[in-house]
Amino acid sequence: MWILMYVFSYSVSPAATNDRAEWRLLPNVVFQEFSNEKRCKTAKSKLEDSLKDAGARLRSGLEDLKTLGKADPAQIIIAFNVECVPK
């Protein structure tokens, strides 16, 4: 058995929201079992591509807001890690 584990987190600057709290990481952790390494690595690759694409779309939207003077891509941090590990 193999376990696919991924952690996706993001943090939004207080300047970009009405919330004046400190920067906060909002992590999501997911585990999924696979019967073999190949299936796990295939899922890992697809997941990484999807997360990269989501981050790019979010940053693009923030660029649009930046032109209106409403937000800046520097006001958000996106991080993720995807691993396949034997069980």
Side-chain angles (χ1 to χ4, degrees):
M1 284 293 238
W2 284 77
I3 304 292
L4 173 71
M5 177 195 76
Y6 77 89
V7 178
F8 176 81
S9 62
Y10 67 95
S11 184
V12 178
S13 165
T17 69
N18 290 332
D19 182 2
R20 295 295 175 211
E22 296 292 322
W23 285 68
R24 289 188 202 133
L25 283 178
L26 304 169
N28 293 294
V29 180
V30 176
F31 299 93
Q32 184 171 349
E33 288 187 357
F34 289 88
S35 57
N36 61 56
E37 183 179 13
K38 182 180 178 184
R39 292 186 70 193
C40 188
K41 289 193 176 196
T42 298
K44 176 185 177 194
S45 176
K46 288 182 181 184
L47 184 57
E48 286 175 326
D49 289 345
S50 176
L51 291 172
K52 286 176 190 173
D53 185 46
R57 281 187 275 148
L58 179 57
R59 291 205 191 288
S60 174
L62 286 172
E63 283 291 344
D64 292 344
L65 289 173
K66 183 179 179 181
T67 61
L68 300 172
K70 300 287 184 186
D72 185 326
Q75 293 174 326
I76 190 164
I77 297 169
I78 300 168
F80 63 88
N81 187 38
V82 184
E83 297 293 334
C84 282
V85 293
K87 183 173 180 182

